[in-house]
Amino acid sequence: MQFGLHIADFTFDSGPAELGPTLARHVKHAEDAGIQRITVMDHFWQLPGIGPVEHEMLEAYATLGFLAAHTQKAMLHVLVTGVIYRHPALLAKQVSTLNVLSGGRVGLGIGAGWNEQECVGLGFPFSPVAQRFRELEETIQICQQMWSDSEEPYDGAIWQLGRTLNSPQNVTKPMLMIGGGGEKKTLKLVAQYADACNLSALAGVPTGKLDVLRAHCDDVGRDYDTVEKTAMIGVNPESTVDGVADQVRALGEAGFTTTYVFSVGIRQPEKVVDLIAGVAAQV
C-alpha cells in the first residue's frame, strides 16, 4: 500500500500569513516520513464538509508549483482537477510544465467538476452534467495528444485546436487519474483512458464500484488489473493509528493499492503526517 497526503485544509495554527513556510515544512516532513504522493484540491473556496467556505483555500496549480519546488521525491498532482476551470490546452501545458520542472514527478488527476456554488460565486461557467462529461472526455483526448509526438489538429465537438504543439515535452508520461465513482460515465471513462481511478472510501470500502469498473473494462477490452485503484479517506483529531490502519487494511484486501488521506480540523500539520506514518508502519 502506498500513501498520499491530500492537503485539503489550509487552516493551520500558524495563520494565513505563514502559509508558505508552513506548507514547505509540511511537505518536507511528509517526504521524510516516506509518504509517496502529495496532492491538493482544485477548489477556490473551502468545502462545507471541511470548514466554512471563508477558510483559506489556495489555487491548485500555483500551489503545485510551490510544492514541486519544496519536494524532491514525491509524486505530485491535483487530486481531481475540475474540467470546468481551464481550457484543455492550458491544462495540458500546466501539467507538462510542472512535470518538466519537477523532474517527471507531476501527473494529472481530473474529473467533471461539481461545485456549482463556487462557479456562481466566482463567475465560472457551470454546464449541465452531460456537457461537463463531454468536456471531460475531450480534455483527456487533448491532453493525451499534446503529450504525444503528434502535432496534428484536434477537431472535437467542443474544442478545435489547429496545432497541438507542446515543447518541452514531459520528462515522464504523466499519470492520468480520473476521480469519482459515477457508474455510467466516470468509471467508463476510467476504463477507456485512465491509468488510475480514485474513489471515496468515506462511507466504507467501495467494492461495488470496483465491480462496475471491472465490467466496463471487459466491455472495452481493457485488462482490469492495469488500472490502479486508489481510495480517499479522511482523518480528524479523534482518529487513531489503529483505527485508520484497519480502514487501510480493508481497502488493501479489496484491491486498492494507494490510499490518499486528508484531514479535517487538525490544525497542526505535523500531526497528520505522523498519523499517516504510524498507519504505514502497521500496514
Side-chain angles (χ1 to χ4, degrees):
M1 180 68 69
Q2 290 196 4
F3 287 88
L5 169 66
H6 179 51
I7 307 173
D9 189 352
F10 296 97
T11 302
F12 304 133
D13 279 345
S14 54
E18 292 296 314
L19 255 176
T22 300
L23 200 53
R25 290 192 298 270
H26 190 23
V27 295
K28 183 179 186 306
H29 185 194
E31 278 202 321
D32 290 345
I35 293 173
Q36 297 99 334
R37 305 185 186 191
I38 302 172
T39 61
V40 295
M41 296 200 300
D42 194 16
H43 289 288
F44 303 90
W45 298 347
Q46 183 53 275
L47 300 185
I50 297 176
V53 294
E54 296 82 7
H55 270 192
E56 298 84 356
M57 180 53 60
L58 302 177
E59 193 281 321
Y61 278 90
T63 303
L64 211 62
F66 181 87
L67 299 187
H70 287 89
T71 55
Q72 296 180 336
K73 298 176 291 184
M75 177 194 290
L76 307 172
H77 62 95
V78 177
L79 188 61
V80 187
T81 302
V83 73
I84 52 181
Y85 299 131
R86 298 166 189 86
H87 187 283
L90 172 62
L91 177 61
K93 189 67 176 180
Q94 286 177 300
V95 172
S96 61
T97 296
L98 290 169
N99 185 281
V100 168
L101 295 180
S102 68
R105 295 186 291 116
V106 170
L108 172 63
I110 194 167
W114 59 269
N115 197 323
E116 184 175 7
Q117 178 189 36
E118 213 172 41
C119 291
V120 171
L122 295 178
F124 291 106
F126 188 75
S127 306
V129 63
Q131 172 75 3
R132 298 201 304 276
F133 274 97
R134 286 192 291 271
E135 293 174 6
L136 176 58
E137 184 165 17
E138 288 199 12
T139 295
I140 292 168
Q141 292 172 350
I142 289 168
C143 285
Q144 290 184 331
Q145 182 162 326
M146 287 184 63
W147 297 340
S148 73
D149 294 332
S150 172
E151 296 181 17
E152 294 299 312
Y154 176 87
D155 187 19
I158 302 171
W159 288 292
Q160 295 78 44
L161 284 66
R163 183 186 182 190
T164 52
L165 171 66
N166 185 39
S167 178
Q169 197 50 270
N170 295 288
V171 173
T172 61
K173 177 180 177 289
M175 178 199 69
L176 174 63
M177 173 187 288
I178 297 177
E183 298 184 0
K184 293 182 179 180
K185 295 182 178 181
T186 304
L187 294 179
K188 182 178 180 181
L189 289 174
V190 171
Q192 290 175 305
Y193 296 104
D195 300 305
C197 66
N198 182 255
L199 298 171
S200 171
L202 300 180
V205 180
T207 51
K209 302 292 184 183
L210 294 183
D211 293 337
V212 172
L213 175 59
R214 185 185 293 274
H216 282 307
C217 286
D218 290 342
D219 288 342
V220 301
R222 171 88 181 267
D223 182 351
Y224 171 79
D225 291 333
T226 65
V227 180
E228 183 187 13
K229 291 83 178 175
T230 79
M232 178 174 60
I233 64 173
V235 297
N236 58 54
E238 286 72 49
S239 297
T240 65
V241 169
D242 288 345
V244 177
D246 287 343
Q247 288 181 273
V248 174
R249 288 192 191 95
L251 289 169
E253 290 168 2
F256 290 91
T257 57
T258 301
T259 303
Y260 290 86
V261 182
F262 74 95
S263 66
V264 178
I266 302 178
R267 298 174 67 103
Q268 302 82 30
E270 64 275 7
K271 292 186 177 181
V272 182
V273 171
D274 291 344
L275 176 60
I276 297 172
V279 172
Q282 282 202 23
V283 174

